Amino acid sequence: MSFKIIDLEKYERKEHFLHYLNEVPCSYSITANIDITGILNELKKRGYKFYPVILFAITKTANTHIEFRMALDEKGRLGYYSFVNPTYTIFHKDDNTFSNIWTEYDGNFKRFYSNYKNDIQEYGNAKGFITKPRTESNFINISSIPWVSFTGFHLNISKSEKYLLPIFTVGEFFEDRKRILLPLSIQVNHSVCDGFHTSSFINELQKMLTNYKEWFED
């Protein structure tokens, strides 16, 4: 993993970045319903779990967009990671708490799924806020609220103006006119991500989940 510093003088969004970082600190969230009808049926046939699938799809889409990999380094300089890994929540049914673990990203679905299964086996039952050790900072946060189909979700984070990486939240999928839809909320920092970028992300994620047959090719 590497972190590349952005030359602000050559950055096409310099004015936007400085405005939303310093003058009017601003984050926003967009919630969209993602059609997962086809891939959900395919997963049932093949015996795959859905959670690692959406983790893979979100992370792979994020890794194709610099805007979803941006952060400030220890000196406050803007840059972006060469790639990001997903850190995600695991729910413990025995005491209704959750833990955060992460899985190493791989652009190949089958290898990522294998990485996920290994992490679940080793850390899935461990209690605590963060149970898999972290040595890097190139993470995007993904959480699940599988008990409700929401139409909007927003995190109120104190002093979040310096946190630039996206936060994703998925809800309970539901049926609508013979389609299975998944609520997905994306929260971003406006200093690095405009509505265009978030919309492009959602559209590309939907396309990826629609073209699921490519995932199972070796």
Side-chain angles (χ1 to χ4, degrees), residues 121-216:
Q121 182 176 2
E122 185 170 358
Y123 302 102
N125 294 321
K127 298 294 182 65
F129 187 67
I130 298 176
T131 55
K132 182 179 177 181
R134 301 179 182 181
T135 58
E136 303 288 351
S137 56
N138 58 325
F139 296 105
I140 55 171
N141 289 280
I142 305 173
S143 61
S144 175
I145 306 178
W147 310 281
V148 63
S149 297
F150 51 76
T151 56
F153 184 87
H154 186 77
L155 290 168
N156 300 308
I157 305 174
S158 178
K159 300 179 181 179
S160 62
E161 63 271 10
K162 303 300 181 182
Y163 187 80
L164 307 187
L165 289 167
I167 300 174
F168 302 90
T169 307
V170 296
E172 180 185 27
F173 49 76
F174 62 96
E175 185 174 353
D176 179 58
R177 286 174 286 188
K178 297 184 179 181
R179 296 186 305 161
I180 305 299
L181 303 178
L182 176 75
L184 170 67
S185 175
I186 306 175
Q187 184 157 321
V188 296
N189 193 307
H190 205 347
S191 66
V192 296
C193 195
D194 299 325
F196 168 79
H197 304 110
T198 311
S199 300
S200 296
F201 183 98
I202 292 171
N203 292 334
E204 290 184 25
L205 177 65
Q206 179 64 78
K207 183 178 180 180
M208 182 185 301
L209 290 168
T210 301
N211 297 327
Y212 59 84
K213 291 184 179 180
E214 301 174 357
W215 297 26
F216 303 103

Side-chain angles (χ1 to χ4, degrees), residues 7-210:
D7 184 350
L8 282 184
E9 298 308 315
K10 297 180 181 179
Y11 182 36
E12 63 275 9
R13 292 188 68 263
K14 175 185 175 181
E15 292 184 28
H16 304 71
F17 168 70
L18 295 176
H19 177 76
Y20 287 119
L21 185 74
N22 300 320
E23 298 178 29
V24 186
C26 176
S27 65
Y28 68 90
S29 64
I30 293 179
T31 300
N33 290 324
I34 307 298
D35 189 340
I36 58 171
T37 309
I39 193 169
L40 200 61
N41 291 331
E42 185 71 19
L43 296 177
K44 290 178 181 178
K45 295 177 184 177
R46 294 177 177 265
Y48 284 93
K49 295 181 179 298
F50 179 72
Y51 195 32
V53 167
I54 197 63
L55 295 176
F56 171 78
I58 290 173
T59 308
K60 185 164 187 175
T61 307
N63 276 315
T64 63
H65 294 271
I66 290 176
E67 293 80 14
F68 290 84
R69 292 181 276 129
M70 286 186 168
L72 300 174
D73 70 1
E74 64 280 358
K75 296 181 180 179
R77 297 175 297 181
L78 178 65
Y80 60 93
Y81 296 106
S82 55
F83 69 94
V84 289
N85 295 309
T87 178
Y88 50 92
T89 54
I90 297 297
F91 185 70
H92 304 296
K93 294 181 180 179
D94 58 339
D95 61 4
N96 296 334
T97 64
F98 71 90
S99 299
N100 288 281
I101 66 176
W102 64 278
T103 291
E104 183 177 357
Y105 171 70
D106 193 301
N108 177 278
F109 169 68
K110 291 182 179 180
R111 290 196 295 266
F112 177 84
Y113 195 92
S114 178
N115 292 343
Y116 169 87
K117 289 198 302 182
N118 292 337
D119 287 327
I120 291 297
Q121 182 176 2
E122 185 170 358
Y123 302 102
N125 294 321
K127 298 294 182 65
F129 187 67
I130 298 176
T131 55
K132 182 179 177 181
R134 301 179 182 181
T135 58
E136 303 288 351
S137 56
N138 58 325
F139 296 105
I140 55 171
N141 289 280
I142 305 173
S143 61
S144 175
I145 306 178
W147 310 281
V148 63
S149 297
F150 51 76
T151 56
F153 184 87
H154 186 77
L155 290 168
N156 300 308
I157 305 174
S158 178
K159 300 179 181 179
S160 62
E161 63 271 10
K162 303 300 181 182
Y163 187 80
L164 307 187
L165 289 167
I167 300 174
F168 302 90
T169 307
V170 296
E172 180 185 27
F173 49 76
F174 62 96
E175 185 174 353
D176 179 58
R177 286 174 286 188
K178 297 184 179 181
R179 296 186 305 161
I180 305 299
L181 303 178
L182 176 75
L184 170 67
S185 175
I186 306 175
Q187 184 157 321
V188 296
N189 193 307
H190 205 347
S191 66
V192 296
C193 195
D194 299 325
F196 168 79
H197 304 110
T198 311
S199 300
S200 296
F201 183 98
I202 292 171
N203 292 334
E204 290 184 25
L205 177 65
Q206 179 64 78
K207 183 178 180 180
M208 182 185 301
L209 290 168
T210 301

